[in-house]
């Protein structure tokens, strides 16, 4: 092997060692990612916003009494958590996320540019709501959301806990999502009563 090919091999090995992947979390991934990651920081996604807009018939509800979970819908922007995943873990992490987020087809896998808190722009795996899906809950009032969340319980637990945990996670990050905080305030009164 020549010196040039050794240098090229070393450079390629170094490049491969530093390949990482990014995942954008906007709901329960903020407080319960459930996968190995090497770093985490806030990020801003443009072109989509967080909303409590997906009927959950498994994790936070049932087909007879659905709950509501968060989704990314078109328009606006969304601050959330970015998780950096080592290349060697990427296959397992992506498979985990696909199973977690796409089981019923309401979410579609997407790669979107996200601005990290440190100023870098990276591409991140995220899951957008398929707005044509029957489980997409379009334009629910705060009162309607409250009624659904109060009654939702599924295989991953109580819908109230899901919303309150997400609100706490956002609050700890300094992310002010007024609609979620308004709903969380009403739900917290229920829990305290």
């Amino acid at each position: 092997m020549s010196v040039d090919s050794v240098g090229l091999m070393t450079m390629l090995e170094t490049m491969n060692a530093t390949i990482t992947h990014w995942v954008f979390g906007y709901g329960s991934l903020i407080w319960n990612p459930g996968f190995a990651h090497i770093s985490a920081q806030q990020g801003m996604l443009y072109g989509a916003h967080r909303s409590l807009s997906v009927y959950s018939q498994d994790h936070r509800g049932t087909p007879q009494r659905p709950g509501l979970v968060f989704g990314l819908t078109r328009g606006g922007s969304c601050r959330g958590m970015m998780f950096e995943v080592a290349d060697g873990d990427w296959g397992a992490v992506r498979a985990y996320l696909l199973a977690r987020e796409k089981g019923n087809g309401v979410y579609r896998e997407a790669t979107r540019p996200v601005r990290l808190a440190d100023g870098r722009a990276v591409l991140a795996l995220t899951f957008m709501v398929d707005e044509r899906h029957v489980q997409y809950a379009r334009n629910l009032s705060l009162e309607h959301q409250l009624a659904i969340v109060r009654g939702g319980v599924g295989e991953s637990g109580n819908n109230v806990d899901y919303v309150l945990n997400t609100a706490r996670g956002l609050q700890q990050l300094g992310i002010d999502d007024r609609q979620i905080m308004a709903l969380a305030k009403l739900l917290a009164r229920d829990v305290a009563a």
Side-chain angles (χ1 to χ4, degrees), residues 142-154:
L142 184 64
E143 293 76 21
H144 197 172
Q145 289 177 5
L146 183 63
I148 293 170
V149 170
R150 281 178 172 154
V153 179

Side-chain angles (χ1 to χ4, degrees), residues 23 28-29 31 38 45 48 60 65-66 83-85 92-95 113 124 134-135 144 153 164 166 177 181-182 192:
V23 176
S28 62
L29 286 180
W31 51 271
I38 56 177
L45 173 89
R60 300 294 172 171
R65 187 152 189 177
F83 299 96
E84 185 179 19
V85 178
V93 168
R94 187 169 173 271
V134 68
Q135 286 178 243
H144 197 172
V153 179
L164 291 177
T166 302
D177 189 314
M181 295 310 167

Side-chain angles (χ1 to χ4, degrees), residues 23-24 26 29 70-73 94 97-99 101-102 107-110 125-129:
V23 176
F24 181 71
Y26 56 89
L29 286 180
F70 293 102
L72 282 176
T73 54
R94 187 169 173 271
L97 289 169
L98 289 173
E101 303 295 336
K102 289 185 65 171
Y107 296 106
R108 57 184 174 78
E109 181 180 7
L125 173 66
T126 192
F127 293 90
M128 303 288 294
V129 172

Side-chain angles (χ1 to χ4, degrees), residues 52-72:
L52 198 57
S53 60
V54 175
Y55 291 113
S56 175
Q57 299 179 351
D58 47 18
H59 288 290
R60 300 294 172 171
T62 64
Q64 298 76 28
R65 187 152 189 177
L68 279 175
V69 293
F70 293 102
L72 282 176

Side-chain angles (χ1 to χ4, degrees), residues 5 13 31 35 44 59 82 111 157 169 174 191 193:
S5 58
E13 288 170 4
W31 51 271
F35 58 86
M44 177 70 82
H59 288 290
M82 290 287 288
T111 302
V191 171

